[in-house]
Amino acid sequence: MKKIIILVLVAVMQLYAEAVTIPAMSFNLTSPDSPQQLVSSLNVLVVLTLLFLAPSLVLVMTTFTRFVIVFGFLRQALGTQQVPPTQLLVTLAMILTFFVMEPIGTEAYNKGIKPYIEEKIGYEEAFEKTTLPFKNFMIRNTREKDLALFLRIRKMENPATVADVPLSIVIPAFIISELKTAFEIGFLLFLPFLVIDMVVASILMSMGMMMLPPVMISLPFKILIFVLIDGWNLLVGNLIASIK
């Protein structure tokens, strides 16, 4: 019986293979026939590279770093362990980043990408006009001390205008500025919750309940206070207001 079933399955597979035509794909690498063909191939390579590096660009050229670090500090200050979950905090940070960066992305598209697609400007000019809004944004939110640090490391003179500052200087300076700002906000977030933990711990010690973890008692109070003051509204509003 088993042999018969196997023979029937083999016969059906053979008939299906004869009925279905599998398309062939060619991946031959040939030399370009013209300069235009070479430019087109290089453009495809550049686009694929940008798509591959898109997550990293989101991290280093936008406010995503500030948002996600502050949200992580908030969860630790509340002491809620994995609530809200990390995926939700990262998603919220991405949504807020899109909200903040949308005008800048629109300006970059209208000034650089759109004219390039319409063949009104060249590739180099399109790149400069596309990156200029992001560069202006990053410099506005970067401390002069951080810019001077990387200029000094490269042994470069102070640039006269924003356009003269290379992206290789702006991006690392912007990252460390965002990290410092995020840690400052995180420290301010920790203070009120730390006071609550200290008060609860002192009360438990005075009552002789040293075996009871203070976190277990202080956690409901911290959540209650955070909800009563509308903490998410205040936090998100002040985070966006801190962006120049």
Side-chain angles (χ1 to χ4, degrees):
M1 186 65 182
K2 293 182 179 179
K3 293 182 179 180
I4 296 175
I5 294 175
I6 294 174
L7 291 175
V8 171
L9 290 175
V10 171
V12 171
M13 292 176 64
Q14 290 178 351
L15 291 174
Y16 183 77
E18 293 176 358
V20 177
T21 303
I22 301 176
M25 300 181 66
S26 177
F27 294 96
N28 296 328
L29 297 176
T30 58
S31 58
D33 298 330
S34 62
Q36 291 78 10
Q37 186 177 358
L38 176 61
V39 171
S40 300
S41 301
L42 291 177
N43 288 337
V44 172
L45 179 62
V46 169
V47 170
L48 292 177
T49 304
L50 290 177
L51 291 176
F52 179 76
L53 296 176
S56 300
L57 294 176
V58 170
L59 289 175
V60 301
M61 297 181 64
T62 64
T63 57
F64 177 80
T65 302
R66 181 184 306 191
F67 290 143
V68 75
I69 291 178
V70 170
F71 293 154
F73 273 122
L74 173 64
R75 187 172 64 182
Q76 291 184 6
L78 286 171
T80 55
Q81 301 301 324
Q82 296 298 321
V83 180
T86 302
Q87 184 177 4
L88 178 60
L89 293 181
V90 172
T91 303
L92 178 59
M94 288 290 295
I95 292 173
L96 293 177
T97 301
F98 177 79
F99 175 80
V100 172
M101 301 300 297
E102 182 183 10
I104 299 168
T106 302
E107 180 183 358
Y109 175 80
N110 292 331
K111 290 185 177 180
I113 299 176
K114 186 177 180 180
Y116 177 72
I117 295 175
E118 297 174 352
E119 299 182 355
K120 295 181 179 179
I121 59 177
Y123 175 77
E124 294 183 357
E125 185 180 357
F127 179 79
E128 292 179 357
K129 291 185 176 182
T130 302
T131 57
L132 185 58
F134 290 94
K135 188 186 296 185
N136 292 333
F137 169 79
M138 287 189 288
I139 290 180
R140 287 198 306 269
N141 293 275
T142 303
R143 298 182 303 167
E144 294 182 2
K145 181 179 180 181
D146 296 329
L147 280 174
L149 170 65
F150 290 97
L151 288 172
R152 185 171 64 252
I153 293 174
R154 282 286 184 88
K155 298 180 180 180
M156 298 175 59
E157 298 182 355
N158 293 333
T161 61
V162 174
D164 297 333
V165 184
L167 281 175
S168 59
I169 299 295
V170 176
I171 292 177
F174 174 73
I175 293 174
I176 62 175
S177 293
E178 287 293 288
L179 288 173
K180 182 178 185 300
T181 303
F183 273 74
E184 289 176 347
I185 299 174
F187 172 75
L188 296 176
L189 277 175
F190 257 99
L191 284 180
F193 299 113
L194 180 61
V195 171
I196 296 175
D197 287 332
M198 293 176 63
V199 170
V200 171
S202 300
I203 294 174
L204 291 177
M205 289 185 64
S206 65
M207 296 174 62
M209 304 173 64
M210 291 178 292
M211 299 300 294
L212 184 63
V215 178
M216 186 181 300
I217 306 300
S218 63
L219 178 59
F221 289 100
K222 290 190 289 186
I223 295 176
L224 177 62
I225 293 175
F226 188 73
V227 172
L228 289 177
I229 65 173
D230 200 1
W232 287 109
N233 185 286
L234 290 175
L235 178 61
V236 172
N238 285 290
L239 275 175
I240 296 178
S242 66
I243 300 169
K244 301 177 182 178

